[in-house]
């Protein structure tokens, strides 16, 4: 009995592997000469994410596509989307980056996020990609207004630079942009 159970298990494993190989070969044929094909696993993930976009509540969509858990100066943690996350949340077929998903976030301090944004702005202006402009941003913790070059990175007065802190999108901002 044990041998027949093992043989059946091995047979089933081989059958599944052959089926996967056949599906991958079909993917390669469908890709054409350019070689740009979507793997079977990626197609399944895309279909799942498209169902989330179509049928889930805004809260679940936000939690699935948001990528940042920002620790503010007082120690409070808040979940935010980046502009890229927002675009992914409303565009069918765009896949969430590996390692991110429902309630899975990259934890970062607000100061660290601001520093990353300023570095991208400096890189963009030094390479001549965008012209220098400034935007006034009010710091909620201190209430002070400061001038920043964040508008440079996003190409001027984008809605993403007008909402939130340094392009971060809160859940209320997300709902505002959906309506």
């Amino acid at each position: 009995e044990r041998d027949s159970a093992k043989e059946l298990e091995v047979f089933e494993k081989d059958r599944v592997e052959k089926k996967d190989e056949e599906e991958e070969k079909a993917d390669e044929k469908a890709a054409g000469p350019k070689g740009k094909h979507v793997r079977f696993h990626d197609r399944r993930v895309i279909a799942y994410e498209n169902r989330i976009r179509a049928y889930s509540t805004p809260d679940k969509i936000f939690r699935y596509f948001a990528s940042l858990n920002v620790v503010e100066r007082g120690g409070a943690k808040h979940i935010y989307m980046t502009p890229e996350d927002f675009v992914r949340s409303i565009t069918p077929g765009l896949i969430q980056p590996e390692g991110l998903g429902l309630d899975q976030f990259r934890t970062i301090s607000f100061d660290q996020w601001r520093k990353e944004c300023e570095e991208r702005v400096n890189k963009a202006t030094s390479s001549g990609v965008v012209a220098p402009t400034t935007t006034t941003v009010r710091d909620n913790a201190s209430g002070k207004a400061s001038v920043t070059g964040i508008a440079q990175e996003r190409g001027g007065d984008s809605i993403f630079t007008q909402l939130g802190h340094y392009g971060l999108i809160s859940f209320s901002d997300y709902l505002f942009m959906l309506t």
Side-chain angles (χ1 to χ4, degrees):
E1 289 180 23
R2 290 182 185 171
D3 290 337
S4 62
K6 284 184 179 180
E7 288 176 7
L8 183 61
E9 185 179 317
V10 169
F11 174 76
E12 185 64 26
K13 215 182 250 187
D14 288 343
R15 188 178 68 77
V16 169
E17 287 176 5
K18 285 181 184 178
K19 186 177 177 183
D20 288 345
E21 288 175 11
E22 290 171 4
E23 288 173 350
E24 285 186 26
K25 286 180 184 178
D27 287 346
E28 289 174 11
K29 286 182 183 178
K34 293 182 181 179
K36 293 183 179 180
H37 70 279
V38 180
R39 294 184 0 228
F40 176 75
H41 171 69
D42 291 340
R43 282 198 320 257
R44 296 280 263 217
V45 170
I46 289 169
Y48 171 72
E49 290 179 352
N50 287 342
R51 285 192 306 272
I52 287 177
R53 289 178 185 100
Y55 302 115
S56 294
T57 62
D59 176 55
K60 184 171 182 178
I61 296 169
F62 180 82
R63 287 184 7 244
Y64 186 86
F65 289 100
S67 63
L68 295 176
N69 188 4
V70 178
V71 180
E72 306 243 347
R73 290 184 187 108
K77 294 182 179 181
H78 298 283
I79 299 168
Y80 290 103
M81 281 185 161
T82 63
E84 294 83 6
D85 296 336
F86 176 76
V87 170
R88 256 193 317 275
S89 76
I90 60 172
T91 308
L94 292 182
I95 195 166
Q96 184 76 338
E98 194 81 20
L100 298 174
L102 185 61
D103 296 328
Q104 295 176 335
F105 314 106
R106 180 178 140 212
T107 302
I108 189 170
S109 71
F110 178 74
D111 292 331
Q112 188 178 0
W113 173 254
R114 184 176 58 196
K115 188 176 181 180
E116 283 182 21
C117 288
E118 289 170 355
E119 286 173 2
R120 285 186 291 199
V121 167
N122 292 337
K123 183 177 177 182
T125 51
S126 66
S127 65
V129 173
V130 289
T133 60
T134 58
T135 300
T136 302
V137 175
R138 184 163 300 279
D139 185 355
N140 284 346
S142 66
K144 295 179 182 176
S146 62
V147 177
T148 180
I150 192 67
Q152 299 166 341
E153 179 185 7
R154 300 288 176 219
D157 291 330
S158 165
I159 184 118
F160 297 119
T161 59
Q162 301 302 315
L163 294 174
H165 304 296
Y166 289 88
L168 294 177
I169 301 168
S170 68
F171 181 66
S172 58
D173 294 338
Y174 175 74
L175 289 177
F176 172 75
M177 289 192 293
L178 288 180
T179 57

